[in-house]
Amino acid sequence: MSPGPGAASAPAPDPHDSPPASDAPAARPARKSSMFSSLKVRNYRLFFMGQVVSNIGTWMQRIAQDWLVLSLTGSSAAVGITTALQFLPMLLFGLYGGVLVDRLRKRPTLLVTQSAMALTAIALAVLTLTGHVQVWHVYVAAFAVGLATVVDNPARQSFVSELVGPGQLQNAVSLNSANFQSARLVGPAVAGLLITGVGTGYAFLFNGLSFIAPLTGLLLMRARELHLVERAPRGKGQLREGVRYVTGRPELIWPIVLVGFVGTFAFNFPVYLSAFADDVFHAGAGAYSMFNTLMAVGSVVGALLAARRGTARLRLLIVAAMAFGALEILAATTPTLWMFALLMVPLGLFGMTVNVTTNTSIQMSTDPAMRGRVMALYMMIFLGGSPVGAPIVGWITDTYGARIGLATGGAVAAVAAAVIGLILARVGNLRLSVGWHGGHPRVRFVPREQQEALAPAA
């Protein structure tokens, strides 16, 4: 694909388009593409292949880290603290990371951040394998990874547009999510075998070495084929400018608020799933790995379905978030391990639909010069909510049980989705329409004028 004059930017939202909360898409790709069309781009292919290996290592470390803390302390709250420390830097410094990303070149920035995370994993592996690891070592490592993530996350998110251009952006974002979740099929399973077989230290070691793949991919990329975006110059007020940019656009701010509630209370699966595996079903690390693997199956399906869709609809985001919350409440009531495990598949599907739909609609609706700051704000809210939510849900889980903890997270997600859906409908001057289509009931939001025109005369 030739990087023509307009190739470096995503299409700006048209003020004459339908309101964002309606059935109209948040953005339209330049042309319809196949499920794997962005892999035809060499630079993106290198990026994708490197992430396949690194993501497997990331999931292995997540499982090993959570189980190590639980083994050292016997406390779900301690697992929540570890999660909180990993995402606390995003909450504190996320917006500053976005400002840096808008100023810096993405590829050299990623070389630095990925190297830092590799060294952290190797250090934790050495401590664990030599038998000197203590829980505070895990806390420090989690916080260090969080610091690197402050810059790494918005840099990786916004770098995708430089790899493929706007025409393939939605496809590439969806495939990135499928990549991450596909690794979740392998990583937890391998981590479970390593933990029960030789110990958690080897999972940390594998993660550290896995960063060789993305670092090699970044070094092999052809700079002339990148869709470069003009970097923001140094200046005062850039952080405030980014916040004003988001808060002035309902199609950006309300999806971010929604994923903030979902990420803070409903996505704390390290706390929930470890507690269900250990305290409810008394099944150990193998069950914990199985829960994560089955959730990944649903997540991969959700990401691939998103890659096939040509648009990112905010209506879909609201419905998926409500279904996700309802499924968590249902899972909290299941009496047997196998019923709980089976519900992990649809939970993964709807959770990934929420994730991809929000990510894509935000990127496609954002000016390229602001993308680093906007994505940093999105990641700060989505991931940075964990330092607030993880200790809370960890305390609820320890005090009232894993079932109450999971049901609480699901209830927050479902209520938040319903309320924000109504807000978006009001902002877009929409009304709820209930009717039949093709012999099936259909519920949707339509413009008030359209509903009034279709209403039967009194």
Side-chain angles (χ1 to χ4, degrees):
M1 187 191 311
S2 173
S9 64
D14 188 341
H16 301 293
D17 282 346
S18 300
S22 70
D23 289 351
R28 291 179 175 84
R31 58 190 173 87
K32 189 174 181 179
S33 58
S34 66
M35 185 179 290
F36 303 102
S37 58
S38 55
L39 289 176
K40 297 176 184 177
V41 181
R42 179 183 181 274
N43 282 345
Y44 179 72
R45 193 161 60 246
L46 288 169
F47 179 82
F48 184 90
M49 292 168 62
Q51 292 299 309
V52 168
V53 179
S54 181
N55 285 336
I56 291 174
T58 296
W59 277 111
M60 290 177 65
Q61 173 142 338
R62 284 191 178 189
I63 300 300
Q65 176 179 280
D66 297 338
W67 201 256
L68 176 61
V69 171
L70 194 64
S71 301
L72 291 172
T73 66
S75 169
S76 294
V79 178
I81 291 171
T82 308
T83 304
L85 286 170
Q86 186 159 332
F87 296 118
L88 181 62
M90 181 65 73
L91 180 64
L92 297 177
F93 312 117
L95 286 176
Y96 295 98
V99 171
L100 284 175
V101 168
D102 279 337
R103 291 176 181 174
L104 301 172
R105 288 188 299 160
K106 307 297 187 298
R107 187 161 61 139
T109 300
L110 288 171
L111 286 169
V112 173
T113 57
Q114 298 273 295
S115 298
M117 288 189 284
L119 293 175
T120 302
I122 291 173
L124 190 56
V126 171
L127 286 169
T128 306
L129 291 172
T130 57
H132 294 96
V133 69
Q134 300 179 38
V135 69
W136 71 267
H137 292 142
V138 186
Y139 289 164
V140 170
F143 189 77
V145 170
L147 285 175
T149 302
V150 167
V151 176
D152 185 80
N153 256 341
R156 276 191 298 107
Q157 298 283 344
S158 54
F159 188 49
V160 174
S161 66
E162 296 189 15
L163 292 171
V164 300
Q168 298 283 2
L169 182 57
Q170 164 136 353
N171 183 264
V173 169
S174 300
L175 288 182
N176 277 356
S177 298
N179 183 335
F180 187 69
Q181 297 302 327
S182 296
R184 192 175 179 180
L185 293 171
V186 180
V190 177
L193 292 174
L194 288 177
I195 291 170
T196 56
V198 294
T200 56
Y202 288 97
F204 300 137
L205 180 61
F206 183 95
N207 182 45
L209 297 177
S210 73
F211 283 96
I212 295 173
L215 291 170
T216 302
L218 289 167
L219 292 172
L220 291 176
M221 288 178 185
R222 296 170 182 165
R224 66 180 181 277
E225 294 178 6
L226 293 174
H227 300 252
L228 295 178
V229 174
E230 183 178 353
R231 285 178 284 158
R234 293 181 62 88
K236 294 182 178 179
Q238 289 178 321
L239 190 151
R240 291 192 300 272
E241 181 186 8
V243 174
R244 284 197 302 268
Y245 181 86
V246 171
T247 55
R249 290 164 171 77
E251 72 275 15
L252 295 179
I253 184 61
W254 288 114
I256 289 176
V257 171
L258 175 56
V259 299
F261 279 104
V262 174
T264 300
F265 296 101
F267 262 84
N268 277 291
F269 289 111
V271 177
Y272 297 139
L273 299 188
S274 61
F276 266 85
D278 195 45
D279 300 331
V280 177
F281 299 120
H282 309 290
Y288 182 47
S289 295
M290 180 183 67
F291 295 156
N292 280 277
T293 300
L294 289 172
M295 184 172 288
V297 171
S299 298
V300 171
V301 173
L304 292 177
L305 288 175
R308 290 193 64 181
R309 284 193 295 268
T311 56
R313 301 173 186 270
L314 293 185
R315 181 187 69 172
L316 176 62
L317 170 62
I318 299 299
V319 172
M322 292 181 67
F324 179 74
L327 281 166
E328 284 202 338
I329 296 172
L330 179 61
T333 66
T334 54
T336 62
L337 185 148
W338 69 265
M339 289 178 64
F340 183 84
L342 287 177
L343 282 174
M344 295 300 101
V345 177
L347 264 174
L349 189 154
F350 284 103
M352 181 51 54
T353 302
V354 171
N355 192 345
V356 172
T357 304
T358 307
N359 191 318
T360 305
S361 63
I362 288 174
Q363 289 213 51
M364 296 295 290
S365 301
T366 302
D367 187 288
M370 302 293 297
R371 193 168 285 143
R373 278 164 282 182
V374 173
M375 294 310 296
L377 179 61
Y378 161 63
M379 299 306 295
M380 183 188 79
I381 299 298
F382 183 44
L383 300 179
S386 290
V388 177
I392 294 174
V393 301
W395 175 80
I396 293 173
T397 299
D398 278 343
T399 305
Y400 300 103
R403 296 186 185 279
I404 298 297
L406 181 59
T408 301
V412 170
V415 171
V419 171
I420 290 173
L422 292 174
I423 292 173
L424 285 170
R426 186 176 180 85
V427 169
N429 195 30
L430 304 173
R431 276 185 170 180
L432 183 68
S433 172
V434 181
W436 289 84
H437 179 74
H440 301 283
R442 179 170 67 173
V443 180
R444 59 177 180 157
F445 287 106
V446 298
R448 290 175 183 267
E449 296 81 1
Q450 178 181 334
Q451 188 179 49
E452 290 168 359
L454 295 175

